[in-house]
Amino acid sequence: GLSRSLCAHIRARHPHAMPAGVGSPVGRAMSTTGSTVSRRSRAPDPRFAHLKPRVDTGSNMRKLMEKYEGTSGPNARAKQTHTYFRRIKPLDLERRLAPDIECEESIYAYDLDEASAAMSLGGASVAASIVSHAADASTSASIAAAAAGASVLCLDCRSFEQYSDSHVRGARHYDLAQLSHSTNHFPKELYFFRGPAGGDKLIVLYDADGKGLDEAANAFVQRGIENTYVLSGGFHGVCVRCPHILSAPPPVGLSDEALEAHSGGGGGGGGGG
């Protein structure tokens, strides 16, 4: 027909203007099928997912998201940790506890003498009642000791089982969960030892190694206990430096490696006056 002759004429004069078969219905079908095939996308092959292009195309959003994944972005800064408490070395704590330990030993010796005298006079029942009365008055004794001039209150923040095995002499067990209570954050004897920072009285917190009490000690200071100290090296530091101020020998399970790891527990911030 006319269209075929016209296409043949155009191809004769301009051979590169129109490819062969375009004017025919078969050519149009092939052209349409080819364009459809060329636009079809292929699924990425997982075998080559780790390969990256060698050409650096510059910065883009994908690269930025990969670079700062898990952070707060390119302007993120490390949070500054402010410590409002002080630290005390085990040997400084030993020096501050020495008068209180001597007083405690003299009172304990007096109780033993009184119990032995009662044993000789009234039998075991009288002696048992004396010892029981002394145990019931432990909290009152700590308050009386504060009123009498004791300068240090130690709070053992480990588990109660660890506290029962061995602790710094005169220390009281303190559960850190009490800080989350709406009221009654502290034991009542703590208020008799409360004072200004750098004063004569100290409230010393300690755990196993002295590394997990920053947040709790800051909370103490923020709630008005300004003379809060953290024992450098914790219980392990006392076991290495001055084990004689413990209520019982260090637990058998405390390995030599743990003691060696905290043998530098005397290091830290300023000691207590």
Side-chain angles (χ1 to χ4, degrees):
L2 180 60
S3 61
R4 291 185 179 182
S5 62
L6 181 60
C7 289
H9 177 70
I10 293 175
R11 281 198 300 271
R13 300 191 61 181
H14 305 283
H16 302 289
M18 183 180 296
V22 172
S24 63
V26 178
R28 287 195 297 270
M30 291 178 61
S31 176
T32 305
T33 305
S35 62
T36 304
V37 172
S38 63
R39 289 197 300 267
R40 185 179 301 168
S41 59
R42 296 182 179 181
D45 193 334
R47 295 177 299 174
F48 308 110
H50 64 283
L51 298 178
K52 302 294 183 182
R54 295 185 178 182
V55 178
D56 187 3
T57 58
S59 178
N60 55 42
M61 184 58 67
R62 178 183 59 80
K63 293 181 180 179
L64 287 176
M65 292 180 67
E66 290 178 354
K67 181 178 180 181
Y68 296 106
E69 183 178 4
T71 69
S72 300
N75 296 323
R77 296 291 185 272
K79 293 183 179 179
Q80 296 181 355
T81 56
H82 298 282
T83 56
Y84 305 108
F85 58 91
R86 297 186 178 188
R87 294 189 180 273
I88 184 172
K89 303 175 183 179
L91 294 179
D92 290 334
L93 178 64
E94 175 197 14
R95 179 172 54 85
R96 296 296 299 265
L97 285 177
D100 300 341
I101 291 177
E102 292 177 0
C103 179
E104 179 184 352
E105 289 177 346
S106 62
I107 293 175
Y108 182 70
Y110 173 78
D111 290 340
L112 289 180
D113 293 340
E114 186 176 359
S116 61
M119 178 72 75
S120 61
L121 295 176
S125 60
V126 178
S129 65
I130 294 176
V131 174
S132 175
H133 176 73
D136 293 338
S138 59
T139 302
S140 300
S142 63
I143 296 177
S151 60
V152 181
L153 173 65
C154 294
L155 297 180
D156 191 323
C157 302
R158 302 174 299 156
S159 66
F160 185 75
E161 290 76 13
Q162 293 174 321
Y163 169 80
S164 301
D165 291 340
S166 179
H167 56 268
V168 175
R169 295 178 63 171
R172 299 287 178 263
H173 180 256
Y174 180 76
D175 187 357
L176 293 177
Q178 295 185 34
L179 286 174
S180 60
H181 295 177
S182 57
T183 57
N184 299 328
H185 309 294
F186 309 119
K188 59 182 180 180
E189 61 263 30
L190 181 142
Y191 294 98
F192 290 88
F193 289 87
R194 181 173 62 176
D200 295 333
K201 294 185 177 182
L202 281 68
I203 296 175
V204 181
L205 309 180
Y206 72 87
D207 58 1
D209 54 10
K211 298 179 180 179
L213 292 176
D214 289 9
E215 184 177 352
N218 279 337
F220 268 60
V221 177
Q222 291 170 353
R223 296 179 183 183
I225 313 300
E226 298 179 0
N227 56 332
T228 300
Y229 289 75
V230 171
L231 181 60
S232 298
F235 179 77
H236 295 171
V238 174
C239 292
V240 173
R241 298 285 181 171
C242 42
H244 56 276
I245 68 172
L246 296 176
S247 62
V252 177
L254 191 60
S255 63
D256 295 336
E257 290 78 7
L259 295 179
E260 285 297 327
H262 298 86
S263 60

